[in-house]
Amino acid sequence: MKTDSTMESKTDALDTSIGKPLVAADQNGQNAVEDFVDPWNVHTSSMKGVDYDKLINKFGCSAIDDSLIERFKRVAKVEEVHPLLRRGVFFSHRDLHVILDCVEKGQKFYLYTGRGPSSDAMHLGHLIPFLFTKWLQEVFDVPLIIQITDDEKYYWKSLSLEKVKEMAVENIKDIIAMDFHPDKTFIFRNLEYMGQSVGFQETLARIQKLVTVSKIRGQFGFSDSDCMGKYSFPFNQAVPSFSSAFPQIFKGKTNVPCLIPCGIDQDPYFRMTRDVAPRLKFLKPALVHSKFFPALQGANSKMSASDPNSAIFLTDTHEEIKEKINKYAYSGDRDTVKEHQEKGGDCSVDIAFQYLTYFEENDEELEKIRQNYSSGEMFSGQIKEILIKKLTRVVLDHQTKKKSITEDIVRGFMTPRQLVFDF
Ligand code: TYM
C-alpha cells in the first residue's frame, strides 16, 4: 500500500467491480464474498467492518499516515488535528498534499461536500463528513459548497419529487444547525439550482461531452433497464468539484483547488470526475475519505433510514437513544463473566466503544475506557451508559439548534451569492 504523503498525484485506479460483489477464495479455499463498497451498497461479513487497507488498494487511493498528519499540523498551524483525523476515521485521501502545498504558498482552496436526502432525519453516520468539514472550514477559513442531491434520491428511491423536496428542507436545516459559517457557505438543492446557473450548466456540458455511455455503464454498473436519470446523475455530483460551476463565488476563476470530505462510498463519483479534469484543463479535486460509522447491530450490518433501530437519528429522544443502545448495540463482552474477566472485552467489535471513538473528544478518557474494557474490568453495559449520556447531549443540543433555524436563515445559505473569500 502506498503511504507516501508527498508523492505526486497518481493515476486513479479504475475499480470495475461496482454493482457486482466480488467473490474470492477465503483462507480455506472456499468462496467468500469480499467486502463491497459503492455509493449504494456497503457489504462486509466481518464484525470488525470493512477491511480498509484492502479498499485503499482496490480503489487506488492513499492512506493518511503519520507523516501526512504531521505535515497537516505544520501547514494548518494547529497543535492537534481533529479527533476524527487523529483516530484514523478519516483514513484515506487523494491529493491532500496538493491542497497543503497550496496553503503553504498562501493560495486558497474551497471545500465541497453533500447529502442525498433519503429520510426526514439524518443519522449519526451522515454527520461524520459534516463534522470534519466544519473543522476544516474553521482551520483554513475557506468557502464551503454543500450539494443536496434530491435528484439522486428521486432516481434511486421510490419517493415522489414532493417528498424528496420535503426531506431536503429538513436535512438542510440539520446541516445548518451544525454551525457552518453563514458568509462562507453556499448550500444548494440540485433540482432547484442547477437549471438557474449558467456556470453549472456549462461545466456540466463540458464534462458530459467527454464521457461515453459505455464508460458510465462500466464505472457505475448501470444496465439497460436503469433510467436515464441514473446515467446522468454522476455528472451532477461531479460539477461542484470545479470552481467554474460557481462564477458568483469564485469571480469566474476556473482553477480554484477543491477538497472534498466524504465517506469512502462516494469515491466512485470522484474517480470519474478526476478522470475528466485534466482533459478540461481543470484541477483534479482532492479528497479525504472517512470510514463507515457502524450500525447498532454491528459493523457487518447496515444503517438504514427504513429501520429506525439500526441507527441513532438526529430526531431521537433520550428514551429512544437509551432503548436502542441498550437493546441493539452489539456487545464485545465474552460469553461468561469469568471469561470476560480473563480475556477482556473486544473493543474492535463493541459498538458502544466504537461509537465513543467518534464522539468522545477526550483522548485520555477514551483510552481509559479502552484499557478497562479490554482488561475485563469493565463490561459493555457500562460503556453503553457513558455512550447514552454522550449521544443524548449531542442529539438534544442539535435539536435545540435546529429549532432556531428559520426559513430566512435557510434562504440566506441557499441564495446564490458572493461568499466572503479573500483570494
Ligand atoms: P449520503 O446522503 O448518502 O451521505 C452523506 C455523507 O455521509 C456519508 N455517510 C457516512 N459516513 C460515515 N458513516 C456512515 N455510516 C455514512 N453514511 C453516509 C456519505 O459518504 C456522504 O459523504 N451522493 C451523496 C451526496 C453528495 C455528496 C457530494 C457527498 C453530493 N455531493 C460530495 C459527499 C461529497 C449522498 O447521497 O450522500
Side-chain angles (χ1 to χ4, degrees), residues 39-40 42 52 89-90 112-118 122-130 145-149 152-153 171 188 190 233 236-238 240-241 260-267 269-270 287-288 290-295 302-303 358:
W40 311 283
V42 178
Y52 289 102
V89 172
F90 278 84
Y112 158 44
T113 193
R115 157 80 180 138
S118 55
M122 285 166 65
H123 60 53
L124 293 183
H126 295 131
L127 280 195
I128 304 306
F130 288 100
I145 289 169
I146 300 177
Q147 178 182 47
I148 305 296
T149 53
E152 176 186 21
K153 297 304 160 178
N171 289 188
F188 69 95
N190 277 0
F233 174 75
N236 297 349
Q237 183 151 331
S241 316
I260 308 173
C262 60
I264 185 79
D265 58 322
Q266 300 297 307
D267 189 66
Y269 288 124
F270 299 115
L287 290 116
V288 274
S290 82
K291 295 179 180 171
F292 299 110
F293 187 76
K302 190 175 155 27
M303 277 195 284
Y358 288 77

Side-chain angles (χ1 to χ4, degrees), residues 164-184:
V164 279
K165 182 175 172 186
E166 214 178 285
M167 289 171 167
V169 172
E170 280 311 305
N171 289 188
I172 289 167
K173 285 189 184 165
D174 273 328
I175 292 167
I176 295 175
M178 296 181 74
D179 274 343
F180 288 104
H181 198 303
D183 297 332
K184 293 186 178 154

Side-chain angles (χ1 to χ4, degrees), residues 3-30:
T3 56
D4 180 3
S5 57
T6 57
M7 70 189 174
E8 287 303 302
S9 169
K10 60 181 173 175
T11 308
D12 300 337
L14 190 66
D15 176 13
T16 51
S17 68
I18 291 173
K20 15 179 192 333
L22 291 183
V23 176
D26 67 12
Q27 286 157 335
N28 308 318
Q30 304 289 313

Side-chain angles (χ1 to χ4, degrees), residues 42 56 80 91 113 125 148 163 199 272-273 292 294-295 354:
V42 178
I56 283 177
E80 198 39 281
F91 72 106
T113 193
I148 305 296
K163 188 64 197 167
M272 181 273 285
T273 312
F292 299 110
Q354 289 297 315

